[in-house]
Amino acid sequence: MTRPVLCGLLAAAATLGPVIAGERPPIGFEVGDAFPVELSLVEAATGKTMSLAAFRGQKVLLIVYASW
Amino acid sequence: MPVWHERTKTLTEQGKLLLVSVVPEQHGERTRLFMQWKQMSWPTLVDPLNLLGVPLVPISLALDENGVIRLVQPMLGPLDDLLEFVATKFEPPRESGEAPAPAAAELGAAGGDAALWRSRGDRLVRAGDEKSLGRAIEAYERALSLDGEDPVLWFRLGVAHRMRYDSKARRPEDFQRAVGAWSRSLALDPNDYIVRRRLQQYGPRLDKPYPFYEWVHVAREEIAARGETPLPLKVEPAGSELAGKLRTFPRTEEPPVSPDPDGRITRDDKKLIVIESTVVPWPAEPGGPLRVHLVLRPSVARDAHWNNEVGPLRVWLDPPDGWSIDSRLIEVRPGEGATSVEIRRVETELQAPEAGAREPASLRGFALYYVCEGVQGRCLYRRQDVVVPLTSRATRED
C-alpha cells in the first residue's frame, strides 16, 4: 500500500493547502491539548494491549495512517 | 520506507524521538503484514473503532514527555519545527485547574446513558473474544435507542458486526448489518473520511478511489524474496477490496444466455450450499452504483463438499426493471482436488435507476453447482435460486 500511503500524504497536503499557520482544517487535535494517552489499543506486532502512557517521559511522533 | 520515517530516522536512532503509529484498520493483521513488508519496527497500534476519533488520515502529532500535543501535522511542515520540538524541554502541565484541555477525541458524544452504553460497547469490542462481540452489538444498539443520530455509534456498531462476521460466532446477516450501519453513519456525517473509506473498501468500483489491498500480493512477493515468510492474514482481501476504480458503469456487449432458462435443474432443497448476500452501500443513491456480494458455503451440518471434477460454479442474475448490471453470468473456477470445502465468493455490480426505485426491488437469479453430500456421498448437479433485496434512497424505509 505504498501508493495509497504516499497518496494519502500528498492528498492530505493538497487538502490542507499551503502550510500556513491557522489555515489548516480541523483534525480534532490542537496544540496544548492533552492527548488521550491512557487509551489502550492492540499492538499489531504482538497482539497485546498497550497504551501510549507507556511512553511517558519520551518525546513521541505519533503518526495516524491507513494500511488501506 | 514511509516518508516520515526517512525524515526522522536520525532523531529516532539517537533516541531523541520515538515513532509510534496508530492505524484505523478493520483487519489488524493486514497492518501487521504491511509493517513486515515495509520493515517498520516501531510500535503500531490498531484502532478499528476509531476510538481516537480521527476525521482523516494521515495525521501526525508531536507529543511531549507529558503527553501534551506540541505540534499538529509536523510532517507537513518544515523539519526545523520538529527539531526545535525535540530540543525543547517542556514543563509538566500545572495542576491548579489549568491542565490542558482534553483533546476533542476525548469529549465524545453527548453525555448521559447513550455515552455509557457506547463506552460499554467499546470495552466489549476491545475485549477481543467472540462472545463479547454479541454483547457489544447489544450495547451499541441500546445506545442507539437513546441517541439514534450519533454517527460514531452507527460506525462502531458496523465495526462490531463485521468483526463478528469474520469470527466463528458469525451470523449470516452480520456483513449486511455492518454495511447498513456504516451507510447510516455516513448519511449522518458525510464528511467522515474513515467511514467513507470503510464502505468504499467493500463497495462498487465507480465509488472506489483506488484498489485498497492491491499491495498485499506485492508485499508477499517482496517479503518472500527477502527469505522471510509473510505473516498470515485472518481474512484474505478479495473481490471489491482488490478491485480498481472505474469511471463509467460497464455495459455488456452481448447479453449472455441463461444456463437454465426454464428452471429444469433440480433444486438444492437440502441447502447443501448455503448462500448469503450483502449489498454495498445500503441504500444505493438514485442512479448510483452498488456491489452485490454472494458468499457460497458448503453446509457443515450436511458435510457438503464442492465436486470439482465436472465443471465450475455458475451464477446467473437478472436485474429488476430499470436497474443495470455488470455481469449477469459469473463463473467461479473449481477448487483444488476432486472435492473441496472452500468458501466461494461471487460479486457483481448494479446501477440503480436515475430517479431511484419507486418500489422495493429484488435481484433474482440462481446458482448452478456440483456438490457432494459427504466426501464419499452422492455428488449431484443442483440449482439454488437467489433473491437479493435491493433498495435505493427513494424507497428506503427509516
Side-chain angles (χ1 to χ4, degrees), chain A residues 1-13 15-16 19 24-52 55-68, chain B residues 3-4 8 17-25 31-32 34 37-38 40 43-47 52 55 58-70 72-73 75-76 85-86 88 100-101 103-104 106 126 193 197 210-215:
Chain A
M1 204 282 250
T2 307
R3 178 175 61 138
V5 169
L6 294 177
C7 283
L9 273 173
L10 294 171
T15 301
L16 297 170
V19 180
R24 296 173 183 166
I27 59 171
F29 301 96
E30 302 276 346
V31 172
D33 286 349
F35 189 83
V37 294
E38 299 301 330
L39 178 66
S40 61
L41 296 168
V42 172
E43 189 184 9
T46 63
K48 295 181 180 176
T49 300
M50 67 176 300
S51 75
L52 286 171
F55 305 117
R56 276 192 196 279
Q58 300 180 77
K59 287 194 169 71
V60 171
L61 178 62
L62 178 73
I63 308 284
V64 185
Y65 75 93
S67 52
W68 33 259
Chain B
V3 170
W4 54 76
T8 59
L17 186 69
L18 176 65
L19 194 55
V20 178
S21 297
V22 175
V23 181
E25 165 66 72
T31 297
R32 208 169 56 134
F34 183 80
W37 177 35
K38 293 299 179 183
M40 297 161 63
T44 296
L45 311 180
V46 183
D47 184 11
L52 274 185
I59 289 174
S60 56
L61 301 170
L63 310 181
D64 71 14
E65 296 89 336
N66 307 294
V68 176
I69 298 171
R70 297 299 178 179
V72 173
Q73 299 288 37
M75 301 318 300
L76 297 178
F85 160 76
V86 169
T88 302
E106 277 191 323
R126 289 156 61 197
Y193 175 95
R197 286 290 188 258
Y210 52 76
F212 282 70
Y213 292 99
E214 183 187 51
W215 60 267

Side-chain angles (χ1 to χ4, degrees), chain B residues 298 304-308 334-342 344:
Chain B
H305 296 68
W306 299 108
N307 179 356
N308 300 319
E336 298 290 326
T339 63
S340 59
V341 293
E342 77 280 6
R344 295 187 181 177

Side-chain angles (χ1 to χ4, degrees), chain B residues 16-158:
Chain B
K16 294 180 179 179
L17 186 69
L18 176 65
L19 194 55
V20 178
S21 297
V22 175
V23 181
E25 165 66 72
Q26 175 77 37
H27 305 286
E29 73 280 6
R30 296 178 185 180
T31 297
R32 208 169 56 134
L33 180 65
F34 183 80
M35 290 170 60
Q36 181 189 21
W37 177 35
K38 293 299 179 183
Q39 298 176 297
M40 297 161 63
S41 58
W42 56 86
T44 296
L45 311 180
V46 183
D47 184 11
L49 291 170
N50 193 15
L51 294 170
L52 274 185
V54 296
L56 53 85
V57 290
I59 289 174
S60 56
L61 301 170
L63 310 181
D64 71 14
E65 296 89 336
N66 307 294
V68 176
I69 298 171
R70 297 299 178 179
L71 293 172
V72 173
Q73 299 288 37
M75 301 318 300
L76 297 178
L79 186 58
D80 286 348
D81 289 350
L82 196 61
L83 294 174
E84 184 181 346
F85 160 76
V86 169
T88 302
K89 181 171 169 51
F90 295 98
E91 295 298 320
R94 297 176 186 173
E95 296 181 6
S96 56
E98 292 188 13
E106 277 191 323
L107 297 176
D113 292 342
L116 289 174
W117 282 108
R118 186 172 104 174
S119 292
R120 174 174 167 77
D122 294 346
R123 283 198 304 277
L124 288 165
V125 168
R126 289 156 61 197
D129 63 278
E130 292 167 358
K131 283 186 182 176
S132 296
L133 287 174
R135 292 159 61 203
I137 289 169
E138 290 170 4
Y140 288 137
E141 288 174 341
R142 187 73 178 267
L144 283 165
S145 71
L146 298 166
D147 180 7
E149 302 299 305
D150 182 352
V152 173
L153 265 173
W154 282 108
F155 173 71
R156 293 184 186 174
L157 176 65

Side-chain angles (χ1 to χ4, degrees), chain B residues 139-284:
Chain B
Y140 288 137
E141 288 174 341
R142 187 73 178 267
L144 283 165
S145 71
L146 298 166
D147 180 7
E149 302 299 305
D150 182 352
V152 173
L153 265 173
W154 282 108
F155 173 71
R156 293 184 186 174
L157 176 65
V159 171
H161 269 297
R162 178 69 206 204
M163 280 186 172
R164 190 169 68 177
Y165 181 79
D166 291 325
S167 75
K168 291 178 183 169
R170 67 185 303 280
R171 297 185 185 180
E173 68 273 17
D174 273 332
F175 187 14
Q176 187 66 80
R177 289 190 190 274
V179 170
W182 290 332
S183 298
R184 190 68 180 268
S185 176
L186 193 62
L188 288 166
D189 183 4
N191 294 308
D192 194 314
Y193 175 95
I194 304 297
V195 178
R196 185 174 295 280
R197 286 290 188 258
R198 196 65 61 90
L199 271 170
Q200 290 172 333
Q201 177 177 337
Y202 303 108
R205 289 166 292 171
L206 280 179
D207 190 34
K208 203 171 282 292
Y210 52 76
F212 282 70
Y213 292 99
E214 183 187 51
W215 60 267
V216 169
H217 81 275
V218 176
R220 284 171 166 159
E221 286 174 0
E222 293 186 7
I223 291 168
R226 296 199 302 251
E228 299 170 32
T229 302
L231 293 169
L233 296 182
K234 181 183 168 188
V235 179
E236 280 293 324
S240 60
E241 296 181 290
L242 302 172
K245 181 178 178 59
L246 276 186
R247 299 199 181 279
T248 57
F249 192 79
R251 302 289 175 198
T252 307
E253 295 290 334
E254 289 264 344
V257 176
S258 169
D260 185 28
D262 300 324
R264 298 173 62 189
I265 303 299
T266 303
R267 300 303 196 269
D268 178 11
D269 293 330
K270 291 183 178 180
K271 296 291 189 286
L272 295 174
I273 299 296
V274 178
I275 302 179
E276 303 164 1
S277 66
T278 303
V279 177
V280 186
W282 181 270

